[in-house]
Amino acid sequence: MHPSPMPEIRHNRIREKRIASMNSRDSGCRMADRIPVLVDDRECRGGVVEALRASGCFDVTVQRLTVGDYLVDSRLLFERKTLPDLLLSIQSGRLFRQALRLAQVVHLRPALMLEGTSADLRDCGMGWEAIQ
């Protein structure tokens, strides 16, 4: 049997669980050292916000962002995609519009954050070559 041509993408839930298991007393972060993170209010359903808060190292504020999903330290702008949503975004052309909007924001470093594993893509109906 040949190995799957789709590389395994590490799932960040393991890291989220580790972060969530810490509390602010164990984190070693002082209030003055906490990193500000603005989170788009449409991103509250996942476990990321809870994990950031539980770490004690982030000052999390939830509000509507016009571009992106997470603004970290007023410097890094992240668009988060689950792998199934990434494929839908590619097919609809939405990914390219979002990437262009991210790239046009002045003085911020944009990034795309992918969440999931190759198992999330097995039944997607799109070949690995098309995804690449």
Side-chain angles (χ1 to χ4, degrees):
M1 178 182 234
H2 296 278
S4 170
M6 189 176 307
E8 187 66 29
I9 301 170
R10 290 198 160 252
H11 202 289
N12 66 0
R13 291 191 188 208
I14 294 170
R15 183 166 183 210
E16 287 176 11
K17 286 179 184 176
R18 282 189 205 138
I19 291 172
S21 70
M22 300 180 337
N23 63 40
S24 59
R25 286 176 283 156
D26 296 334
S27 69
C29 297
R30 299 177 308 169
M31 288 296 284
D33 295 333
R34 290 170 47 150
I35 299 167
V37 179
L38 295 179
V39 178
D40 187 83
D41 60 349
R42 296 163 285 200
E43 286 292 309
C44 292
R45 288 189 307 259
V48 177
V49 172
E50 292 82 13
L52 290 170
R53 286 185 172 144
S55 76
C57 292
F58 300 96
D59 183 18
V60 178
T61 303
V62 176
Q63 67 183 50
R64 179 66 49 108
L65 299 178
T66 57
V67 177
D69 296 320
Y70 300 92
L71 177 59
V72 179
D73 201 22
S74 299
R75 294 185 290 180
L76 305 170
L77 184 61
F78 291 92
E79 176 71 31
R80 185 187 68 84
K81 295 274 183 210
T82 62
L83 294 180
D85 185 43
L86 174 68
L87 295 185
L88 291 173
S89 297
I90 291 170
Q91 290 173 334
S92 71
R94 184 171 38 105
L95 176 67
F96 307 105
R97 290 189 300 275
Q98 289 175 321
L100 181 61
R101 289 180 60 210
L102 284 172
Q104 291 174 333
V105 177
V106 180
H107 304 300
L108 295 178
R109 299 191 66 112
L112 183 62
M113 177 175 27
L114 301 178
E115 177 182 338
T117 67
S118 60
D120 297 326
L121 302 176
R122 285 196 184 112
D123 298 322
C124 71
M126 185 183 278
W128 180 241
E129 295 78 19
I131 296 169
Q132 290 179 320

